Structures are given as structure tokens and as C-alpha cells.
Amino acid sequence: MNKKKKSNRSGYPDEAIKSLARCFYPSMVDFFNSEEGQREYEKWLKEQEALQALPVAA
């Protein structure tokens, strides 16, 4: 038997999460396809690269 692992561990019902996603998704896509969204994403990528370059404390 192949059981699907539950990914929603928030405590909120799956239907509530899906409903929110349906509401926010179009706005998120529009933002990330905009010039401002692209600039923000590039900024975030650079921040992530900088974080990866930091030494890890033992």
C-alpha cells in the first residue's frame, strides 16, 4: 500500500489552504512577472548566495 505523505502540517484544513492559494496565486504570479517582482527575486537570490557563503559554526 502506497500512502501519500501529508504535507499540510499547519493545523488548518486542506480546503482552507487551497482556498487561500486560489485567491493569492494570480496576484503572486502577476507580481513575480513584473519588473518590481523580478528585481525583488534577484535581490533575494543574492541574499541567499551570501548566506550560503557564510561559514557554519561548529
Side-chain angles (χ1 to χ4, degrees):
M1 189 180 294
N2 189 7
K3 291 185 179 181
K4 184 178 178 183
K5 187 175 180 181
K6 185 173 178 165
S7 60
N8 176 12
R9 298 177 189 196
S10 69
Y12 294 99
D14 285 347
E15 194 53 44
I17 301 293
K18 289 177 185 176
S19 181
L20 285 171
R22 282 191 291 273
C23 290
F24 286 114
Y25 183 75
S27 297
M28 292 169 62
V29 169
D30 289 345
F31 175 75
F32 285 108
N33 285 331
S34 71
E35 287 183 30
E36 179 186 2
Q38 292 295 312
R39 282 192 307 269
E40 289 291 326
Y41 182 62
E42 289 298 321
K43 179 182 169 188
W44 179 83
L45 285 175
K46 288 177 183 173
E47 290 170 355
Q48 297 306 304
E49 286 178 20
L51 288 174
Q52 292 297 320
L54 292 175
V56 178

